[in-house]
């Protein structure tokens, strides 16, 4: 595939845009390092998931339409968020399925997925000499199937593990519960705060039991929730989005 | 109206106990994992099971009528009940016909759903649940907290105290074997006295008219064989076309439920013993309403294994009672709104939508997708909490307009950076009750991009 001929629309979800610009920057830099033509539509806002998960998908239609309009001119849309990508792919079914809508839904990819399935990168030459715990964000794992859920009896694969397998100095720690939900769940974190926080605490404890220095994930939303708990409880473990680790790749 | 978050908060107050509950159920999930991984064809079995159920549901009336025909030929009395009240009266009529007052019961979530026990008790009939867990919660006068492990919320010490009061076991004794023996002795009396035995039904085979009950304790057999009248209660969705289909489900049920290869007893009841009576009651109680809704009818495939409860990270940390419905957990959260949307409107939200339930489900019910769909139904029926509804309207407005979105983001970040902690972390900030908010960066990615990349594509 000739990377220079395709155009990539960079989709930076609202909460990453506002609170974690470094994740957006890492994603952009990484894609640029790979020689891709990356555009960032300045008028983008959100995929509309917060409304839809609250039961108000009809109220989100305008936001959906805005997303489609912003990204329909690109060959691929790439985002450092499995959850938002899953939402575009799965839940934009309530829009009239015009060619534009269909194209955007089919061409929107989560970053790791894009790197492996479309670009077919092999060794990014990542340098990250730390013990890392991988948090398998649910929508990426079970929705986009960027890994095999522990419930299934099929051949195990994990795109994050594949991408980090050859990373220099990086040690992936084993967890007691390899893919339990962190408890963020979007509006769940607000309307069910007690269970949400307890789930997060238990996840952090699992990573700490196995001496992870960093928790990484495809979704900053999970990490925002876990980081909130880590900081409240003054825990030593840190969070880092997968894009930031991948961006340690040499040119 | 059920408020799951509130009930969960109460459950979580004792964190150590929550950890114990979580671990106990996770242990069952792990047992299930080991059991299913011994079958390389597991995913194929799931697909087959799902398709058998799907095909059966698409011609449900046909299969039920065939079942009835066969059962009648076998000399079985077949009754149809439209709703819980119909069902309860039907059971009572059979009991009254035999002038019976003592009933034993085993393995039936349907009788829980229809509140049969309190109904019969009001009519002066003694009903004894004979499965150990069921008996424990019957003594405590509370509903089951799990469909397979009804007393999983209780510790052995609590059961020891309960049995001391109810059965006269030694004070302070909590040895499970000792307590189980005490329960067995007590239940043996009840089995010998019982005139009528009631069981649930795991599968009803249309081509033979047999009902199949899967148990570990063998109480269905004890009851049925000792009493002169046996009553089997089934929801309309329990029918399967052929005995051959049964082989698929019996391989999956126990593996999914407890990690056993098969339940200790798989009892087939075909016809009454000469001189005795066998009844089957086929109950609708709202199921045809679900059948009419294409996006929810898959929920009727459920074989009641409870695997979705064991895997659910929310259920494990909030307990079965927090759902306030007969069937708790993920499957309960998609079944209950179908029976009473207003009462159970909160349940579809009692999930992080992680999807583990759908992956673990032996009949491939898309549970988490149905939770999402039920949320839309709640909203369409104008049953969302006002606060939530207004918040979402405002958010949708802001996110439909780039400059409004950027302005609100900027203000939020600035306020977060400048306001004193007390003004940010208060009771209005639900996020902040157990978590820190993110540290606000000086600029958004959007701002950074405008400053750092020239050839901006719009």
């Amino acid at each position: 595939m000739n990377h220079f001929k395709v155009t990539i629309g960079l989709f930076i979800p609202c909460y990453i845009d506002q609170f974690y610009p470094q994740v957006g920057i890492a994603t952009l830099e990484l894609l640029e390092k790979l020689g891709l033509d990356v555009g960032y539509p300045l008028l983008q806002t959100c995929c509309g998931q917060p409304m839809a998960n609250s039961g108000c998908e009809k109220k989100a239609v305008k936001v959906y339409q805005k997303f489609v309009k912003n990204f329909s001119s690109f060959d691929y849309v790439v985002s450092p968020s499995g959850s938002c990508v899953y939402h575009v792919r799965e839940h934009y079914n309530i829009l009239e399925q015009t060619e534009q809508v269909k194209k955007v839904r089919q061409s929107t990819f989560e970053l790791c997925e894009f790197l492996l399935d479309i670009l077919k990168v092999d060794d990014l030459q990542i340098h990250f000499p730390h013990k890392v715990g991988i948090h398998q964000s649910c929508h990426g794992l079970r929705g986009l199937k960027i890994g095999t859920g522990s419930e299934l009896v099929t051949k195990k694969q994990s795109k994050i593990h594949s991408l980090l397998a050859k990373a220099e100095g990086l040690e992936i720690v084993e967890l007691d519960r390899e893919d339990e939900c962190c408890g963020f769940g979007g509006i769940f974190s607000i309307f069910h705060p007690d269970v949400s926080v307890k789930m997060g605490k238990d996840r952090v404890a699992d990573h700490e039991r196995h001496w992870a220095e960093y928790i990484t994930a495809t979704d900053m939303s999970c990490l925002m929730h876990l980081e909130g708990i880590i900081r409240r409880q003054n825990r030593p473990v840190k969070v880092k989005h997968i894009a930031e680790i991948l961006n340690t790749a040499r040119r | 109206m059920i408020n799951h978050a509130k009930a969960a908060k109460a459950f979580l107050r004792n964190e150590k106990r929550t950890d114990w509950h979580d671990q106990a159920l996770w242990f069952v999930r792990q047992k299930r994992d080991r059991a299913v991984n011994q079958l390389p064809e597991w995913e194929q079995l799931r697909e087959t099971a799902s398709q058998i159920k799907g095909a059966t549901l698409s011609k449900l009336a046909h299969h039920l009528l065939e079942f009835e025909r066969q059962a009648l030929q076998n000399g079985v009395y077949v009754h149809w009940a439209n709703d819980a009240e119909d069902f309860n009266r039907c059971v009572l009529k059979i009991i009254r016909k035999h002038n019976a007052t003592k009933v034993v019961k085993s393995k039936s979530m349907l009788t829980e759903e229809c509140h049969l026990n309190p109904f019969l008790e009001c009519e002066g009939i003694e009903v004894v649940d004979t499965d150990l867990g069921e008996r424990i919660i019957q003594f405590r006068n509370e509903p089951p907290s799990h469909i397979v492990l009804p007393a999983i919320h209780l510790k052995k010490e609590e059961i020891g105290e309960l049995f001391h009061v109810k059965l006269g076991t030694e004070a302070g004794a909590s040895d499970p074997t000792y307590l189980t023996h005490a329960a067995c002795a007590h239940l043996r009396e009840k089995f010998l006295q019982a005139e009528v035995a009631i069981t649930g039904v795991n599968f009803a085979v249309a081509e033979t008219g047999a009902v199949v009950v899967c148990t570990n304790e063998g109480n269905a057999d004890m009851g049925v064989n000792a009493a002169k009248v046996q009553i089997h209660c089934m929801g309309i969705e329990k029918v399967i076309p052929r005995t051959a289909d049964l082989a698929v489900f019996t391989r999956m049920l126990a593996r999914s439920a407890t990690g056993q290869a098969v339940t200790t007893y798989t009892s087939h009841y075909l016809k009454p013993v000469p001189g005795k009576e066998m009844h089957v009651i086929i109950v609708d109680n709202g199921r045809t309403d679900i059948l009419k809704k294409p996006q929810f009818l898959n929920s009727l495939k459920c074989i009641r294994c409870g695997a979705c409860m064991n895997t659910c990270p929310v259920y494990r940390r909030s307990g079965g009672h927090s759902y306030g419905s007969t069937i708790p957990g993920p499957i309960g959260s998609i079944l209950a709104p179908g029976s009473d949307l207003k009462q159970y409107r909160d349940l579809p939200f009692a999930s992080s939508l992680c999807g583990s339930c759908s992956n673990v489900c032996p009949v491939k019910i898309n549970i988490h997708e149905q939770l999402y769909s039920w949320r839309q139904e709640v909203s369409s029926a104008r049953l969302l909490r006002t606060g939530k509804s207004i918040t979402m309207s405002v958010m949708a407005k802001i996110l439909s307009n780039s400059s409004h979105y950027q302005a609100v983001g900027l203000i939020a970040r600035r306020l977060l950076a400048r306001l004193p902690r007390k003004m940010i972390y208060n009771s209005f900030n639900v996020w902040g009750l157990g978590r820190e908010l993110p540290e606000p960066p000086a600029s958004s990615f959007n701002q950074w991009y405008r400053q750092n990349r020239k050839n901006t594509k719009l």
Side-chain angles (χ1 to χ4, degrees):
Chain A
M1 170 178 182
N2 188 340
H3 295 171
F4 297 96
K5 282 196 179 157
V6 297
T7 55
I8 311 294
L10 180 63
F11 162 42
I12 299 301
C14 49
Y15 65 97
I16 294 185
D17 176 37
Q18 293 299 328
F19 293 113
Y20 298 99
Q22 73 275 18
V23 175
I25 295 167
T27 310
L28 175 66
E29 286 180 352
L30 176 66
L31 294 172
E32 286 174 344
K33 272 183 207 175
L34 293 166
L36 295 158
D37 178 9
V38 188
Y40 169 75
L42 287 165
L43 298 180
Q44 62 179 285
T45 57
C46 167
C47 66
Q49 185 173 190
M51 284 75 78
N53 276 5
S54 306
C56 305
E57 65 177 354
K58 286 184 192 135
K59 288 180 183 168
V61 166
K62 274 193 179 165
V63 183
Y64 292 1
Q65 285 164 341
K66 190 174 171 59
F67 184 94
V68 172
K69 197 175 152 205
N70 276 321
F71 287 102
S72 58
S73 65
F74 297 97
D75 295 316
Y76 293 100
V77 184
V78 178
S79 178
S81 166
S83 188
C84 304
V85 168
Y86 176 70
H87 192 72
V88 171
R89 265 195 225 162
E90 286 298 311
H91 293 140
Y92 278 28
N93 58 346
I94 63 162
L95 294 178
E96 190 197 334
Q97 296 302 296
T98 59
E99 285 309 309
Q100 238 188 8
V101 171
K102 277 196 262 182
K103 185 192 157 202
V104 167
R105 288 178 70 191
Q106 283 162 9
S107 58
T108 300
F109 288 86
E110 184 279 324
L111 177 65
C112 296
E113 212 181 27
F114 182 72
L115 293 174
L116 279 173
D117 296 351
I118 307 298
L119 295 186
K120 306 200 185 298
V121 298
D122 178 28
D123 186 1
L124 284 167
Q125 295 190 296
I126 298 157
H127 180 75
F128 195 73
H130 298 284
K131 286 189 165 196
V132 175
I134 293 173
H135 173 69
Q136 296 277 13
S137 299
C138 302
H139 288 172
L141 180 76
R142 301 189 188 86
L144 301 176
K145 300 187 171 56
I146 65 169
T148 310
S150 59
E151 307 87 2
L152 301 175
V153 184
T154 49
K155 196 165 166 270
K156 299 278 174 208
Q157 60 94 13
S158 158
K159 296 201 162 82
I160 311 179
H161 282 80
S162 302
L163 283 169
L164 296 182
K166 292 180 186 165
E168 209 177 288
L170 187 147
E171 186 190 329
I172 298 173
V173 303
E174 293 268 327
L175 300 169
D176 291 334
R177 300 186 186 180
E178 62 184 273
D179 56 11
E180 181 154 287
C181 177
C182 69
F184 172 66
I187 55 145
F188 179 78
S189 65
I190 305 293
F191 290 97
H192 283 74
D194 300 282
V195 185
S196 172
V197 168
K198 176 61 180 154
M199 284 164 71
K201 272 173 75 176
D202 291 352
R203 280 294 76 224
V204 171
D206 194 351
H207 286 268
E208 288 194 337
R209 264 199 305 281
H210 297 88
W211 307 103
E213 293 168 68
Y214 288 92
I215 304 175
T216 192
T218 53
D219 284 68
M220 202 58 218
S221 49
C222 308
L223 295 178
M224 171 170 76
H225 165 70
L226 294 175
E227 187 193 35
I229 291 166
I230 290 166
R231 282 176 46 223
R232 174 62 57 87
Q233 303 192 340
N234 288 315
R235 310 301 309 171
V237 64
K238 295 185 275 290
V239 301
K240 215 169 226 344
H241 189 274
I242 189 74
E244 296 176 88
I245 297 179
L246 296 177
N247 192 37
T248 60
R250 296 193 190 105
R251 269 169 198 274
Chain B
M1 185 196 124
I2 299 301
N3 184 332
H4 179 268
K6 203 172 155 192
K9 188 187 176 77
F11 186 84
L12 277 159
R13 229 166 253 145
N14 187 339
E15 192 170 355
K16 270 203 166 153
R17 196 183 172 102
T18 305
D19 288 338
W20 164 80
H21 187 262
D22 166 68
Q23 197 54 51
L25 288 154
W26 182 253
F27 178 73
V28 184
R29 158 74 208 272
Q30 287 178 306
K31 275 182 73 184
R32 173 260 174 211
D33 288 353
R34 283 193 292 273
V36 302
N37 275 292
Q38 283 173 357
L39 301 184
E41 70 274 32
W42 180 253
E43 297 303 328
Q44 199 190 336
L45 272 176
R46 285 178 74 215
E47 185 57 36
T48 310
S50 184
Q51 289 196 18
I52 294 170
K53 281 282 182 180
T56 312
L57 288 171
S58 72
K59 285 173 80 181
L60 191 58
H62 165 80
H63 295 296
L64 284 169
L65 289 172
E66 192 193 352
F67 171 79
E68 182 189 38
R69 219 166 25 243
Q70 295 301 331
L72 288 173
Q73 271 183 20
N74 296 337
V76 176
Y77 293 89
V78 179
H79 313 261
W80 299 79
N82 199 30
D83 52 27
E85 200 187 326
D86 251 13
F87 166 70
N88 290 343
R89 286 189 193 290
C90 181
V91 175
L92 180 66
K93 210 171 142 191
I94 301 166
I95 296 171
R96 283 275 155 83
K97 180 180 147 194
H98 294 275
N99 292 318
T101 54
K102 291 186 188 307
V103 174
V104 286
K105 189 155 80 69
S106 170
K107 273 280 164 177
S108 174
M109 285 308 294
L110 180 63
T111 57
E112 288 286 342
E113 174 189 322
C114 297
H115 303 291
L116 178 69
N117 285 13
F119 173 83
L120 290 182
E121 280 157 11
C122 282
E123 298 290 336
I125 289 156
E126 183 196 67
V127 197
V128 175
D129 277 308
T130 56
D131 301 314
L132 182 57
E134 289 284 352
R135 187 62 179 144
I136 291 166
I137 58 160
Q138 192 182 23
F139 275 145
R140 288 171 56 94
N141 202 18
E142 66 183 6
S145 70
H146 187 290
I147 60 173
V148 173
L149 314 158
I152 191 68
H153 59 292
L154 297 170
K155 295 196 167 192
K156 59 181 191 223
E157 290 78 15
E158 290 162 309
I159 294 161
E161 278 170 42
L162 179 74
F163 279 12
H164 174 61
V165 176
K166 299 284 184 184
L167 302 176
T169 53
E170 272 175 52
S174 66
D175 176 58
T177 310
Y178 168 72
L179 295 176
T180 306
H181 283 163
C184 283
H186 156 74
L187 288 169
R188 202 161 297 139
E189 287 292 306
K190 299 293 178 189
F191 279 124
L192 291 171
Q193 292 163 4
E195 298 146 301
V196 174
I198 299 176
T199 83
V201 170
N202 289 94
F203 307 99
V205 184
E207 68 175 2
T208 62
V211 295
V212 179
V213 186
C214 305
T215 78
N216 276 329
E217 297 172 36
N219 295 330
D221 287 327
M222 292 273 271
V224 165
N225 287 307
K228 62 178 186 236
V229 181
Q230 65 193 87
I231 306 174
H232 306 283
C233 317
M234 58 178 269
I236 54 171
E237 81 284 14
K238 294 291 175 194
V239 70
I240 52 171
R242 307 167 307 159
T243 308
D245 302 323
L246 191 60
V248 175
F249 294 104
T250 49
R251 292 188 80 197
M252 306 191 86
L253 179 63
R255 285 186 168 92
S256 296
T258 56
Q260 295 165 273
V262 69
T263 43
T264 315
Y265 302 90
T266 302
S267 311
H268 302 245
Y269 301 108
L270 186 65
K271 52 175 81 168
V273 169
K276 292 191 180 184
E277 259 181 37
M278 173 169 164
H279 297 259
V280 173
I281 309 176
I282 303 170
V283 186
D284 182 342
N285 203 31
R287 285 162 177 76
T288 35
D289 292 334
I290 301 176
L291 203 58
K292 284 181 216 154
K293 298 180 180 139
Q295 77 269 43
F296 299 121
L297 80 86
N298 271 350
S299 61
L300 293 176
K301 292 180 178 177
C302 178
I303 58 169
R304 305 288 191 266
C305 70
C308 62
M309 291 159 210
N310 306 336
T311 203
C312 179
V314 177
Y315 173 91
R316 277 188 264 110
R317 291 172 182 82
S318 56
H321 290 152
S322 65
Y323 294 80
S325 53
T326 305
I327 297 182
I331 184 68
S333 300
I334 61 172
L335 289 172
S339 67
D340 187 343
L341 188 59
K342 211 169 170 185
Q343 170 77 356
Y344 298 112
R345 62 185 130 166
D346 200 30
L347 294 189
F349 295 92
S351 163
S352 60
L353 300 181
C354 79
S356 185
C357 45
S358 304
N359 267 2
V360 90
C361 177
V363 288
K364 293 182 97 165
I365 301 171
N366 54 338
I367 302 177
H368 74 293
E369 288 171 5
Q370 292 195 33
L371 287 167
Y372 179 87
S373 299
W374 273 117
R375 292 181 183 191
Q376 314 307 326
E377 295 286 311
V378 170
S379 166
S380 296
R382 299 184 175 278
L383 288 170
L384 268 192
R385 279 181 227 166
T386 334
K388 205 188 256 182
S389 181
I390 293 171
T391 311
M392 292 308 145
S393 298
V394 173
M395 269 184 85
K397 270 254 153 61
I398 295 169
L399 292 168
S400 315
N401 182 309
S402 315
S403 32
H404 289 175
Y405 154 71
Q406 285 299 341
V408 170
L410 184 68
I411 294 165
R413 275 183 287 118
R414 292 224 168 128
L415 285 176
L416 200 52
R418 287 171 201 181
L419 284 177
R421 190 172 170 87
K422 267 190 191 162
M423 287 191 67
I424 297 170
Y425 290 94
N426 51 48
S427 55
F428 294 106
N429 177 358
V430 183
W431 176 274
L433 294 176
R435 294 161 287 214
E436 292 295 299
L437 285 158
E439 282 181 278
S443 71
S444 67
F445 176 79
N446 196 295
Q447 289 170 309
W448 177 89
Y449 191 88
R450 286 170 196 267
Q451 287 156 10
N452 291 278
R453 291 290 185 277
K454 278 179 187 168
N455 302 321
T456 302
K457 285 193 179 175
L458 285 174

